């Protein structure tokens, strides 16, 4: 009897916790929000996550996109923003969208460490992590891909970091050449 009671409490605690976890995740960054180290954006279907990370055996911090379902110790990063400018101290660094539709990584002095670019402006710019793994900057009410201001899929070369462990074949060709 006691065991069943505690099992019930255990299951109920999950029941009440799960909606809270889901309701705090978002797939969008608006001009009123920013992402600090430790906060993430999750694509609507839960496939991809965007946030700060450190590659294996590194203390450097990067903004990237990875597969959410995979366990943290097997993190597979698919895209990196500030590949050329890794951070060592993220305490006052934020990722945000400004009213001109620029998604930027800013330090405490409001200096841009990394940013997207665009040739147009829209009424209500937002950055959205799509379930395809594409990070796009667009108008909040316009889902037409032709009208995206910027998209990470157009910058695929930003994927690999020097610290990232690549597959064996890739390692022999790509990494050894660099060393
Ligand atoms: C941002 O905040 C302003 C003022 O509080 C509000 O008018 C606007 O709708 C907000 N924008 C978004 C994208 O939530
Ligand atoms: C990180 O930066 C913050 C403010 O920008 C500063 O207060 C802090 O001392 C720095 N930490 C280290 C370890 O340098
Ligand atoms: C954005 O920058 C890239 C190179 O960094 C350039 O190829 C592209 O034309 C730029 N796009 C706009 C809209 O300025
Ligand atoms: C860390 O190492 C694992 C296993 O070698 C690899 O699959 C993963 O992509 C690496 N993660 C990063 C962020 O480099």
């Amino acid at each position: 009897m006691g065991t069943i009671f505690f099992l019930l409490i255990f299951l109920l605690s999950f029941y009440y916790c799960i909606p809270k976890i889901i309701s705090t995740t978002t797939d969008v960054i608006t001009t009123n929000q920013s992402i600090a180290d430790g906060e993430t954006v999750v694509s609507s279907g839960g496939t991809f996550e965007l946030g700060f990370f450190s590659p294996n055996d590194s203390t450097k911090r990067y903004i990237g996109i990875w597969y959410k379902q995979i366990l943290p110790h097997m993190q597979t990063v698919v895209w990196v923003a500030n590949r050329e400018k890794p951070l060592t101290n993220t305490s006052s660094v934020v990722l945000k969208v400004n009213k001109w539709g620029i998604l930027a990584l800013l330090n405490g002095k409001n200096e841009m460490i990394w940013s997207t670019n665009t040739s147009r402006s829209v009424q209500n710019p937002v950055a959205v992590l799509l379930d395809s793994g594409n990070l796009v900057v667009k108008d909040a009410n316009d889902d037409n891909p032709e009208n995206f201001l910027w998209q990470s899929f157009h910058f695929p070369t930003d994927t690999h970091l020097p610290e990232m462990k690549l597959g064996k074949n890739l390692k022999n060709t790509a990494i050894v050449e660099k060393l």
Side-chain angles (χ1 to χ4, degrees):
M1 182 66 193
T3 316
I4 290 170
F5 178 73
F6 280 114
L7 194 65
L8 200 65
I9 298 288
F10 183 72
L11 291 175
L12 277 176
S13 67
F14 271 103
Y15 180 80
Y16 284 108
C17 282
I18 287 167
K20 277 183 201 145
I21 292 165
I22 289 170
S23 68
T24 54
T25 63
T26 175
D27 66 344
V28 61
I29 306 173
T30 68
T31 51
N32 292 347
Q33 295 165 310
S34 58
I35 298 292
D37 199 345
E39 297 169 337
T40 62
V41 166
V42 177
S43 66
S44 62
T47 311
F48 290 96
E49 188 163 27
L50 165 86
F52 289 83
F53 74 97
S54 289
N56 300 319
D57 308 324
S58 173
T59 53
K60 291 176 184 160
R61 302 295 282 164
Y62 295 90
I63 282 279
I65 298 170
W66 56 87
Y67 281 103
K68 182 165 172 58
Q69 277 110 344
I70 295 173
L71 298 168
H73 65 277
M74 299 203 11
Q75 191 179 58
T76 303
V77 174
V78 296
W79 183 80
V80 181
N82 56 318
R83 183 186 192 279
E84 309 290 337
K85 292 184 181 170
L87 299 161
T88 48
N89 181 354
T90 55
S91 67
S92 50
V93 175
V94 290
L95 181 69
K96 62 194 293 184
V97 181
N98 67 21
K99 62 182 173 189
W100 301 282
I102 306 281
L103 177 67
L105 194 56
L106 303 168
N107 67 16
K109 295 172 196 154
N110 248 17
E111 295 163 340
M112 278 188 191
I113 298 158
W114 171 88
S115 73
T116 65
N117 61 0
T118 178
S119 52
R120 291 184 296 124
S121 64
V122 292
Q123 194 88 44
N124 192 3
V126 292
V128 182
L129 180 59
L130 302 180
D131 218 35
S132 58
N134 196 7
L135 174 66
V136 307
V137 181
K138 65 183 197 71
D139 188 90
N141 302 315
D142 190 347
D143 287 328
N144 185 347
E146 282 175 16
N147 296 332
F148 290 165
L149 299 182
W150 180 90
Q151 50 184 310
S152 64
F153 274 8
H154 287 175
F155 300 88
T157 53
D158 295 346
T159 307
H160 290 295
L161 295 170
E163 292 92 343
M164 270 187 195
K165 285 179 183 153
L166 302 177
K168 224 175 192 166
N169 289 333
L170 281 170
K171 200 169 187 170
N172 288 342
T173 53
I175 297 283
V176 171
E177 258 172 32
K178 263 187 197 154
L179 300 171

